Amino acid sequence: MPVKVYGAAMSTATVLVLLCLEEMGAEYELVPIDFSTGEHKSPPHVARNPFGQVPAFEDGDLMLFESRAISRYVLRKYKSSGPDLLREGSLEESAMVDVWLEVEAQQYDEAISAIYIETVIKPVFFGGVPDEKVVAESAEKLGKVLDVYEARLSKSKYLAGDFLSFADLSHIPYTHHIVAGPQASLFESRPHVKAWWESLASRPAYKNVTTGTPTS
């Protein structure tokens, strides 16, 4: 029986879970949650995710929420049928995956999510105008983070080493949107970062999940 993901195509957290499912070749059903009607705050959905957010994940009697936790569950459940993205068979490699997952969560996410909110969420969903001051400040922060990435990726093909990992996938949901806008130059101007992103964007899982997802 396919697992169920309750979420929305424009939700970066939902996209992360779908990427992991696609990478592992797992069967799943995406159950759309309509934010415009407030469905995410409805009693049935709050029963799945008590914070009224997406995604929620159902595997038989098991119900999970929080995208990073769901993703780890997926990568462990289907580890025999897809790439080893957590590298838990090696203490050193799994530690490097954890390091770059933390970098994404603590450094990368703060800067890039602010740009995403201003340049995608505000105009697309609320008809608003981006706060250019916030965009500029966040782009400067992101540039400094990407300088660290450029140095790292000059030594290895991917962030945790010369192997694809969950640390790399975790960057896709926001980056997919930002590289389609004016801030794409932040990635294109750094050759190793550019090559890394192009490698991620060429993967079938990326194409399957993001095809048809508006970027602006």
Side-chain angles (χ1 to χ4, degrees):
M1 178 183 295
V3 298
K4 292 184 179 180
V5 180
Y6 297 85
M10 280 293 289
S11 158
T12 54
T14 300
V15 166
L16 179 60
V17 172
L18 299 183
L19 282 167
C20 290
L21 287 163
E22 286 283 346
E23 284 286 352
M24 305 311 283
E27 288 187 68
Y28 67 90
E29 176 187 355
L30 175 60
V31 182
I33 298 297
D34 190 347
F35 277 67
S36 68
T37 63
E39 185 181 2
H40 58 302
K41 299 297 184 182
S42 67
H45 187 67
V46 170
R48 304 180 194 110
N49 185 324
F51 296 100
Q53 299 172 339
V54 294
F57 178 89
E58 183 180 339
D59 185 6
D61 294 332
L62 178 67
M63 186 69 71
L64 300 174
F65 55 95
E66 295 298 342
S67 61
R68 288 180 173 87
I70 296 169
S71 296
R72 286 185 173 91
Y73 173 81
V74 167
L75 298 180
R76 290 173 180 135
K77 177 181 173 71
Y78 299 104
K79 65 181 180 181
S80 63
S81 60
D84 181 5
L85 297 176
L86 294 174
R87 311 298 286 196
E88 290 180 328
S90 165
L91 182 61
E92 293 81 4
E93 290 180 355
S94 64
M96 290 303 297
V97 173
D98 287 344
V99 165
W100 286 97
L101 281 169
E102 286 299 310
V103 172
E104 186 275 329
Q106 305 300 329
Q107 306 292 335
Y108 190 86
D109 183 272
E110 179 183 1
I112 201 168
S113 63
I115 298 172
Y116 173 71
I117 290 169
E118 293 296 330
T119 62
V120 179
I121 296 298
K122 267 190 180 180
V124 172
F125 292 99
F126 300 103
V129 177
D131 184 328
E132 295 301 337
K133 183 173 184 291
V134 172
V135 173
E137 290 175 349
S138 299
E140 183 179 0
K141 289 179 183 177
L142 182 58
K144 291 177 180 178
V145 173
L146 288 175
D147 285 341
V148 176
Y149 280 49
E150 180 69 9
R152 171 60 182 170
L153 292 165
S154 70
K155 300 174 183 176
S156 60
K157 183 175 181 180
Y158 296 104
L159 291 172
D162 289 321
F163 51 85
L164 179 75
S165 77
F166 182 38
D168 301 293
L169 292 190
S170 69
H171 290 75
I172 289 177
Y174 281 122
T175 309
H176 163 68
H177 294 279
I178 302 310
V179 296
Q183 289 74 36
S185 60
L186 291 168
F187 297 83
E188 294 169 354
S189 62
R190 295 168 171 85
H192 294 98
V193 169
K194 181 175 184 287
W196 167 71
W197 173 250
E198 288 175 347
S199 176
L200 296 179
S202 70
R203 297 188 67 78
Y206 170 86
K207 295 176 181 178
N208 291 344
V209 172
T210 61
T211 298
T213 301
T215 54
S216 63

